[in-house]
Amino acid sequence: MKQRIGQALIQQGLITAEQLNMALTEQAQTKEALGGIVVKLGFLSPKQLSPFLADYFELPFVNLNDIYKEIPPEVIRVIPEDIARRFEVLPIKLDDNLLTLAMVNPLDVVAEDTIKIRTGLKVRPAVCSEEDINTAIDYCYRQLPRMQEHINNFIELESGLRLDDDIEKLRIEASETPVVQYVDSLIIQAINSNASDIHIQPKEKSAELRFRIDGVLYDIDPPPKSMLPAITTRIKILSSLDITERRLPQDGRFRIKIGPSEIDIRTSCFPIIYGESIVMRLLNTSRPFLGLEHLGFMPEDLKKFRRLIHRPYGLILVTGPTGSGKTTTLYTALSEMKSREKNIITLENPVEYRLPFIQQSQINYAIGFNFAKGLRAILRQDPDIIMVGEIRDRETAEIAIHAALTGHLVLSTLHTNDSSGATTRLINMGIEPFLITSSLLGVLAQRLVRCICENCRTEYKVDAEILNKLLLKQRIPAFYKGTGCSKCLNSGYQGRTAIFELLTPSDKITNLVLSRASSDEIKRQAQENGMKTLRENGLEKLKQEITTPDEVIRVTQEEEF
C-alpha cells in the first residue's frame, strides 16, 4: 500500500522517484505516514497533498476556507473543541445519523472511533488541508467573528422602532435569525471557554458581557445596547419566563444538547436601573463524578474523610463561600457511598445534578416546602443517608442534628469561612453545644484554586513580599506560572482544584465547644491535633507545581488576619 501511494504520487508528477526513495528511507526510521513525510521533507505542500489523498482514497475533498463560516452552530457543537484540535478534524455536515467530518488524516481510525463513541453517530470522512484546519477550528469554536456577523445582521434588520414599548414587536425581533444565532453562538462560546456563568448587563450607554471562567470574570466583546432587549427576550423565551415582566426578578432554566453532553442552563433576570441584568449558569449534567481522589485532597485528609462518610450515623458539614465546590464534594461523596442496600435521599435548592442512584427532592418556597419541612418528611421515608443542601436556620439545624443522633448519616453545607467556625455558627443559631458535640463527625472547609495552564507554564522568581505573606516554613525549589496563551484566554490558568481543611473533634475540642469557646481557640487546638489549614494545603499545591503563590494568597486571605 505504501508503494502504491508513492507510485501514484510519481505518476501524477507530484514527486520524483528519487524523492520517493528518500521518503521511504525516512519512513523506515520514523514509522510516520508517507504523506506526512513527503510534506515534512518539503517535496509537497499540505495544499497539494490533501486533494491527492482524497482522490487516492476515493473520498470527497473540502476546501475549508470556502465553507467554514457557513457551518451551522448545531453541527459544530456535536464535537467538543478539544477533540477537534487533538485529531485535527471539523464537523461540517449532519444528515440524520450521519456526520460528515473534515479530516487532515482520513486514515486516522482512532479519531473516527473516538468520535463515533462520543457522538453515537456514523462518520463519513472528507479530506481537508492541514493549513486550513486550525483557522477553521478557531473561527467555529471561538465564535467571535461569527457573533459580530450576527450583530451586523441585526443592525441591518433593526426597524428603528422602540422595541421596549411594544411587546409583540419585541417577541418577533427576538425570534429573528440574527438574535437566535447570536444567543446560540454566545452559549457555545461560553461552553467552549469552560465558563461557568454568562453575565449580560446593561449600562447607561452600553452593554457589558462577561464570562466567569475558573471563578474569575473576564470581559468579552459585548453586543450593542440596542440589541439587549431582543437578546433578553430570546433568553426569557428559552427559559419559559414572562417576557412582559421587567420589574420583578425571575428565575428559569432550559437545556441544550452538545454531542453526548447535556448542558443545564439556569437563568436569572434581575431588574436594575438601566434594564435587566441576565446571568446564565452553565452546568454539564452529563459529566461523571471522578471520585474523591480527584478533588485535590491530601492523602491523609482523604483517608480521614472516607472514614467519616462510611460511618453509620452522625453529621458531616462542608463549609465555604458560594462557588467553592461544596456541592461537588457532597455529590462525589454520595457517588462513592451509593449502594442498593442504602436509601439515600437529598433535599436541595436547586437540584444541580441528577444522580440515578438516589432520590432527589427540590424545595419550593412558593408553596411552603422549605428545608425544615422537607427534612421532617424525609425522616418518614426510612432513609439511611440524608443530604441537606444547606443549613441556614435553627429549625433545619435542629432536625438535622436529631436525625444524626437517631441513626442517620446526615451531610450538609454551612456558610462559614473555615472548619472551626462551624460549631460557633450553629451555637449562634441557637443549637445547644451538647447536641453539636454528640452528633458532629467532622467539618470540611474548602476553596478552589486555579491550576497553571500546562500549555504556557514557565518557571519564575517570586517577589520577597509574596513569600513573606505565605509565611513559608520550608523551601520550595521552584515556582511556576502561566504566561498566557490562546488555550487559557491569556490568563495563565486553566481548570481548578480544591484545597481542604478537615476538622475532626477530639476530646479537647469537644470540651472547647461545650464551654462555647471562640472559633480561634478551636482552630488552634485542631492545629495542635494535626489539622492542616487551607493555607497549608495551598502550599502543598505549590510544592506540587499545580498553582501559583498569588492564587494561594487570593483564596486564603482570611488566614492573614
Side-chain angles (χ1 to χ4, degrees):
M1 180 62 71
K2 294 173 185 175
Q3 186 63 30
R4 288 204 301 270
I5 290 178
Q7 290 301 322
L9 286 166
I10 292 174
Q11 288 170 8
Q12 292 195 23
L14 295 173
I15 63 172
T16 65
E18 182 182 359
Q19 288 173 331
L20 174 60
N21 289 332
M22 292 172 64
L24 290 172
T25 301
E26 176 77 10
Q27 187 185 47
Q29 297 175 352
T30 64
K31 309 300 181 184
E32 296 174 11
L34 184 64
I37 292 174
V38 170
V39 171
K40 185 172 70 173
L41 293 175
F43 302 151
L44 276 182
S45 70
K47 284 192 177 294
Q48 291 174 302
L49 177 66
S50 299
F52 164 79
L53 291 177
D55 181 62
Y56 182 82
F57 291 110
E58 298 181 350
L59 294 172
F61 172 75
V62 291
N63 187 337
L64 285 181
N65 284 336
D66 292 340
I67 67 167
Y68 71 86
K69 293 184 178 180
E70 309 302 324
I71 303 173
E74 61 269 18
V75 175
I76 293 298
R77 66 187 184 212
V78 167
I79 297 176
E81 182 183 359
D82 62 326
I83 296 291
R85 291 191 185 278
R86 188 196 317 169
F87 295 116
E88 294 186 306
V89 300
L90 188 69
I92 58 176
K93 190 176 182 182
L94 181 60
D95 293 318
D96 295 326
N97 201 39
L98 181 62
L99 179 67
T100 302
L101 198 64
M103 306 179 69
V104 171
N105 179 9
L107 298 182
D108 192 340
V109 179
V110 175
E112 273 196 56
D113 288 346
T114 300
I115 291 165
K116 285 178 184 176
I117 293 169
R118 288 287 297 264
T119 64
L121 302 171
K122 296 178 182 178
V123 173
R124 177 173 60 193
V127 184
C128 66
S129 169
E130 186 176 6
E131 289 183 349
D132 300 338
I133 190 75
N134 288 329
T135 300
I137 288 174
D138 284 342
Y139 182 92
C140 291
Y141 284 95
R142 295 305 179 185
Q143 295 289 323
L144 291 174
R146 178 171 296 193
M147 290 170 70
Q148 188 57 50
E149 285 180 11
H150 300 331
I151 291 172
N152 293 338
N153 291 337
F154 172 83
I155 292 171
E156 290 178 12
L157 291 171
E158 197 171 16
S159 63
L161 296 174
R162 287 177 56 85
L163 297 176
D164 51 347
D165 289 342
D166 193 322
I167 293 299
E168 189 54 38
K169 286 186 174 64
L170 189 55
R171 188 194 303 274
I172 293 171
E173 181 135 344
S175 301
E176 292 284 357
T177 300
V179 176
V180 172
Q181 290 180 338
Y182 179 86
V183 173
D184 286 349
S185 297
L186 177 64
I187 293 170
I188 293 169
Q189 184 192 349
I191 292 168
N192 290 330
S193 301
N194 292 318
S196 61
D197 301 86
I198 302 172
H199 291 245
I200 307 172
Q201 280 120 11
K203 300 298 179 184
E204 184 177 6
K205 297 179 180 178
S206 63
E208 187 173 78
L209 174 61
R210 293 182 293 174
F211 290 169
R212 186 177 294 279
I213 302 172
D214 295 333
V216 177
L217 286 170
Y218 292 90
D219 287 313
I220 307 295
D221 289 339
K225 189 175 181 182
S226 61
M227 196 174 177
L228 277 192
I231 292 172
T232 300
T233 302
R234 173 61 183 168
I235 294 170
K236 284 184 173 181
I237 290 171
L238 288 172
S239 307
S240 301
L241 298 179
D242 183 359
I243 67 170
T244 65
E245 180 57 72
R246 304 170 192 169
R247 300 167 301 170
L248 295 173
Q250 295 188 74
D251 295 321
R253 66 192 298 172
F254 62 97
R255 282 192 167 200
I256 63 171
K257 190 173 178 62
I258 299 182
S261 300
E262 283 195 349
I263 310 298
D264 192 25
I265 301 178
R266 309 273 172 75
T267 305
S268 172
C269 301
F270 186 77
I272 59 177
I273 58 175
Y274 298 120
E276 286 184 277
S277 170
I278 303 289
V279 175
M280 291 185 284
R281 169 151 289 188
L282 314 177
L283 293 169
N284 186 346
T285 57
S286 304
R287 185 177 298 163
F289 293 101
L290 299 177
L292 292 171
E293 63 274 9
H294 295 282
L295 295 183
F297 278 100
M298 291 175 65
E300 188 58 36
D301 285 343
L302 179 58
K303 290 179 185 177
K304 290 180 181 178
F305 189 67
R306 276 202 164 116
R307 284 199 294 266
L308 293 182
I309 64 174
H310 287 100
R311 294 278 291 274
Y313 58 87
L315 175 65
I316 299 172
L317 296 174
V318 181
T319 74
T322 301
S324 60
K326 300 186 298 295
T327 303
T328 299
T329 298
L330 287 177
Y331 276 141
T332 306
L334 289 177
S335 181
E336 187 162 308
M337 297 154 65
K338 65 183 178 184
S339 168
R340 294 291 299 172
E341 300 172 355
K342 295 179 179 178
N343 183 20
I344 305 175
I345 307 178
T346 72
L347 187 61
E348 307 172 56
N349 181 33
V351 173
E352 294 194 9
Y353 295 93
R354 285 161 173 76
L355 305 178
F357 52 85
I358 62 177
Q359 300 180 74
Q360 294 175 273
S361 177
Q362 181 166 310
I363 68 170
N364 187 339
Y365 288 112
I367 59 173
F369 185 50
N370 55 25
F371 279 115
K373 191 171 185 178
L375 192 48
R376 283 197 195 92
I378 284 175
L379 292 174
R380 296 191 289 271
Q381 290 283 309
D382 186 29
D384 295 292
I385 300 170
I386 303 168
M387 188 191 96
V388 184
E390 182 184 353
I391 293 176
R392 60 174 66 177
D393 56 59
R394 176 178 178 174
E395 188 178 12
T396 305
E398 285 180 341
I399 300 170
I401 287 173
H402 283 295
L405 290 172
T406 54
H408 306 88
L409 184 64
V410 181
L411 295 85
S412 188
T413 68
L414 198 64
H415 281 287
T416 61
N417 287 331
D418 56 15
S419 57
S420 58
T423 56
T424 306
R425 176 74 190 279
L426 290 173
I427 290 172
N428 289 339
M429 284 182 183
I431 306 300
E432 291 295 332
F434 75 90
L435 290 175
I436 298 172
T437 58
S438 301
S439 60
L440 188 64
L441 297 178
V443 184
L444 182 73
Q446 68 178 77
R447 298 288 188 279
L448 293 177
V449 294
R450 291 181 291 172
C451 300
I452 302 168
C453 175
E454 292 295 329
N455 189 59
C456 61
R457 66 184 288 125
T458 185
E459 187 176 344
Y460 80 113
K461 186 177 180 180
V462 179
D463 292 341
E465 183 181 349
I466 299 295
L467 293 176
N468 289 334
K469 280 188 177 182
L470 289 172
L471 298 175
L472 289 172
K473 295 179 181 177
Q474 53 185 314
R475 183 179 177 275
I476 296 178
F479 294 94
Y480 293 84
K481 68 175 182 179
T483 56
C485 64
S486 59
K487 287 190 176 181
C488 62
L489 297 180
N490 293 316
S491 68
Y493 298 98
Q494 193 170 42
R496 289 188 290 179
T497 189
I499 58 173
F500 297 98
E501 176 181 286
L502 180 59
L503 184 151
T504 52
S506 63
D507 290 341
K508 290 184 178 180
I509 289 177
T510 297
N511 290 332
L512 287 172
V513 175
L514 290 172
S515 64
R516 300 177 183 262
S518 69
S519 60
D520 288 338
E521 292 177 88
I522 294 172
K523 183 172 185 175
R524 282 194 293 270
Q525 183 59 55
Q527 287 181 273
E528 288 180 19
N529 293 347
M531 183 188 79
K532 300 296 183 184
T533 66
L534 289 166
R535 174 64 62 84
E536 288 170 326
N537 272 260
L539 296 181
E540 188 63 29
K541 293 293 189 293
L542 283 183
K543 289 169 61 178
Q544 296 171 2
E545 301 173 5
I546 292 173
T547 191
T548 65
D550 288 336
E551 190 66 6
V552 172
I553 291 171
R554 182 180 71 86
V555 301
T556 62
Q557 287 183 16
E558 64 268 15
E559 291 193 22
E560 296 175 20
F561 300 100

